[in-house]
Amino acid sequence: MGNFAGNLRTGGGLAARTSPRLTFTYMEVNIKSMDSALSATRYATPLGDQYSRNYVFVELAAQGHRILEFGCANGFISRHLTERGCEVTGVEVDHAAAEEARQWCRKVVVTDLNRHDWVAEVGSGYDTVLFGDVLEHLLHPEETLRNAAVVLAPRGRVIISLPNIAHLSVRAGLLRGRFQYESTGILDITHLRFFTAATAKKFIEDAGYRVVSSRFFVGGGALGRRLRLLAPGLFARQMMFVAEKT
């Protein structure tokens, strides 16, 4: 969702010291415009059908009322939640995207989750906290996830979406000696951490949560989807976990 790779944008990483018009090659990525490559609006995608990641994400989140959405981008998820009667506070590092999101969110906090002062800015008492493809962009995602427990109401939930680094396409690429970053997807250029189904579950549990349900998104038609779900660790591009504080 929203891009929290603040170390790339503002925190002293390679990109922060590079002109937006400079072309360079790094880990097989040719970046012609850093502003375009790192804009959070590139994550704004349609809701999709009942088997798509965005649709399920909204359906699960809408079971709550007071929602904190990390990485709200331009509000493309917040919009659907607000229209369902939810009260959404968004958090986003991209200033331009955050301005767009304000029309759908009760409040938008512009901050970098790689800092440690965001807890005081967002408030507390949320029944639902959303991390939609956010944690993999952070330097220390385990700290951010632990801190999220502070802003959760008693019996509140976190809903976490992560890409699956063990997907067949990545495995096949490694067999050919390729690990090529892209502008979006599993090998998004701003991803700093990578997870499999097993390591994602352990990561969430180690942060002080209990996973109560999980979903895997494999794509394809009805028959193909059923077959792929027999081996979700191989065929799922996205993984989604609902967790509660322990």
Side-chain angles (χ1 to χ4, degrees):
M1 310 280 271
N3 173 17
F4 278 94
N7 60 311
L8 291 177
R9 297 177 62 85
T10 59
L14 177 62
R17 299 193 299 272
T18 306
S19 165
R21 293 184 175 82
L22 180 64
T23 300
F24 67 96
T25 300
Y26 178 67
M27 294 295 286
E28 300 188 59
V29 179
N30 186 28
I31 306 173
K32 295 184 178 179
S33 171
M34 291 306 297
D35 288 341
S36 174
L38 300 181
S39 171
T41 57
R42 76 189 194 277
Y43 298 111
T45 53
L47 196 61
D49 62 23
Q50 61 182 316
Y51 302 107
S52 70
R53 176 262 194 210
N54 286 352
Y55 184 96
V56 174
F57 197 63
V58 169
E59 288 295 310
L60 289 172
Q63 295 172 18
H65 173 69
R66 191 160 185 260
I67 297 173
L68 178 63
E69 183 187 2
F70 289 109
C72 65
N74 63 358
F76 71 104
I77 292 291
S78 303
R79 170 190 172 185
H80 294 288
L81 295 173
T82 298
E83 289 175 346
R84 296 189 184 204
C86 300
E87 181 184 281
V88 183
T89 296
V91 180
E92 178 55 54
V93 71
D94 186 317
H95 287 260
E99 284 304 310
E100 290 186 53
R102 293 187 195 281
Q103 63 183 309
W104 307 114
C105 298
R106 182 187 67 85
K107 174 184 177 182
V108 177
V109 176
V110 180
T111 191
D112 183 350
L113 289 182
N114 288 313
R115 294 165 48 192
H116 300 289
D117 57 358
W118 58 265
V119 174
E121 297 182 71
V122 303
S124 60
Y126 296 97
D127 55 51
T128 307
V129 171
L130 307 179
F131 287 102
D133 295 271
V134 168
L135 294 166
E136 66 272 21
H137 295 272
L138 304 180
L139 292 171
H140 303 290
E142 60 283 342
E143 293 182 14
T144 302
L145 190 53
R146 285 193 200 98
N147 287 335
V150 177
V151 304
L152 269 177
R155 303 185 69 178
R157 308 172 304 155
V158 292
I159 303 175
I160 300 166
S161 176
L162 295 166
N164 174 28
I165 192 62
H167 185 267
L168 178 62
S169 62
V170 180
R171 300 189 195 203
L174 289 172
L175 285 173
R176 299 194 304 272
R178 292 178 61 81
F179 192 85
Q180 184 170 331
Y181 281 94
E182 302 167 348
S183 60
T184 59
I186 297 173
L187 296 178
D188 187 305
I189 185 176
T190 60
H191 287 179
L192 302 179
R193 296 285 293 272
F194 299 94
F195 299 93
T196 66
T199 61
K201 184 173 183 291
K202 184 177 186 302
F203 160 71
I204 295 168
E205 291 173 342
D206 287 349
Y209 296 85
R210 177 177 64 90
V211 174
V212 296
S213 67
S214 58
R215 293 284 296 270
F216 298 90
F217 300 90
V218 297
L223 179 58
R225 188 165 50 248
R226 289 194 203 97
L227 292 174
R228 293 186 185 98
L229 283 173
L230 295 174
L234 186 62
F235 294 109
R237 288 185 173 274
Q238 294 286 137
M239 310 174 289
M240 192 173 296
F241 303 88
V242 179
E244 299 174 344
K245 290 189 292 185
T246 54

